[in-house]
Amino acid sequence: MIRVQAENFDVGAEINALSEGNTAIGGICSFVGLVRDFQHTKDDDTRVSAMTLEHYPGMTEKKLAEIEEIARQRWPLEDVLIIHRYGRMEAGENIVLVVTASAHRKAAFESAEFLMDYLKTKAPFWKLEEDDQGQGKWVDARDADDHALTKWEKSQL
Amino acid sequence: MKVLYFAWLRTKIGCAEEEISLPENVKTVADVLDLLRTKGDAYVEALGEDKVIRVAVNQDYAPLDHPVKQGDEFAIFPPVTGG
């Protein structure tokens, strides 16, 4: 299941809701992405007090649903949950939650990492960071994220 | 055709969405980008050769030679930075 929302989410409540009543689940893996209070640049670290996530309504849901479908075909998953927030968030707040549930841990671990790698390079979200003076700066995409994706394409062979 | 702009492309061009009509000779994503570059300095700047941009047609990523038609939803945005 995918959800794109402005509101925060409760990680524990989401995991409980997902596993409740499904006793075939033997393991659950979760990843929570947070707003970090610094951005590492070439020269030094800059402070980040908040960020605004912009997204492309419609395409976001479409891409997340595709990503979930690919993961379900590739691993034996009992359930998948992806929540991604948009709007303004302060440092320390939740941005994204990925939860994967399977009979065994390997599928849960691997698919959670896969979902995050795919989401970071395919889902149409853009971060505008604010420093402590309130100055906004669009975050540049990272080559490392593209490289992370290549790993999964190679191992598909 | 509806054209959507996101992130710094939206701020540079100065609008989030506009409607354009496609002349006969505009058949691909590359043709649409060329057409938009005739609309003024802000477009030339935002869609310059030195800029890394992505295009989606009807909410799927589309390469430069992807065909387009009136009625498509055409979106231009920077490489994504979610997660």
Side-chain angles (χ1 to χ4, degrees):
Chain A
M1 184 170 59
I2 59 157
R3 268 164 39 206
V4 181
Q5 62 188 45
E7 312 80 62
N8 198 0
F9 49 81
D10 179 328
V11 177
E14 296 296 345
I15 293 175
N16 288 341
L18 179 134
S19 63
E20 205 176 336
N22 186 346
T23 47
I25 296 174
I28 292 175
C29 192
S30 67
F31 175 86
V32 187
L34 309 173
V35 180
R36 188 178 49 221
D37 75 352
F38 70 93
Q39 175 73 318
H40 191 62
T41 59
K42 232 186 301 172
D43 306 316
D44 80 71
D45 287 353
T46 52
R47 305 315 297 176
V48 175
S49 57
M51 65 169 57
T52 300
L53 260 289
E54 180 171 331
H55 76 121
Y56 179 174
M59 181 169 173
T60 306
E61 288 82 356
K62 186 174 179 180
K63 290 296 133 189
L64 292 179
E66 283 174 14
I67 293 164
E68 175 182 351
E69 188 51 37
I70 296 169
R72 283 181 181 274
Q73 284 172 12
R74 213 165 147 176
W75 286 277
L77 297 173
E78 287 295 325
D79 216 336
V80 175
L81 173 65
I82 305 172
I83 302 177
H84 204 305
R85 294 179 65 198
Y86 61 88
R88 190 172 182 279
M89 290 155 233
E90 308 256 336
E93 281 192 55
N94 297 328
I95 304 174
V96 60
L97 172 67
V98 164
V99 182
T100 53
S102 183
H104 303 286
R105 73 177 184 283
K106 193 173 161 63
F109 273 127
E110 284 184 4
S111 58
E113 189 179 10
F114 168 86
L115 286 166
M116 277 308 302
D117 285 348
Y118 249 75
L119 180 157
K120 282 193 89 82
T121 50
K122 301 290 184 198
F125 285 97
W126 303 275
K127 287 179 179 140
L128 178 71
E129 286 177 348
E130 276 171 46
D131 64 18
D132 35 22
Q133 264 79 53
Q135 288 290 316
K137 182 181 175 295
W138 291 104
V139 175
D140 286 328
R142 296 172 67 234
D143 288 344
D145 290 335
D146 281 335
H147 293 151
L149 195 62
T150 332
K151 172 180 75 186
W152 297 107
E153 279 158 8
K154 277 184 192 145
S155 63
Q156 230 163 4
L157 298 172
Chain B
M1 184 169 77
K2 185 158 83 170
V3 184
L4 306 173
Y5 305 99
F6 293 96
W8 62 256
L9 277 136
R10 174 177 52 72
T11 53
K12 226 166 215 146
I13 285 173
C15 75
E17 180 177 335
E18 65 181 323
E19 196 68 38
I20 61 168
S21 53
L22 297 185
E24 282 270 309
N25 61 341
V26 173
K27 297 185 186 314
T28 65
V29 166
D31 294 342
V32 174
L33 295 175
D34 282 340
L35 177 69
L36 290 170
R37 288 189 194 102
T38 65
K39 286 170 65 80
D41 290 347
Y43 291 85
V44 174
E45 163 74 7
L47 305 173
E49 296 282 329
D50 58 325
K51 300 289 191 297
V52 182
I53 58 168
R54 300 280 182 266
V55 170
V57 176
N58 298 327
Q59 305 185 352
D60 278 316
Y61 290 98
L64 287 172
D65 60 356
H66 191 277
V68 295
K69 57 184 188 312
Q70 194 66 42
D72 282 347
E73 182 173 298
F74 191 97
I76 311 176
F77 47 78
V80 302
T81 56

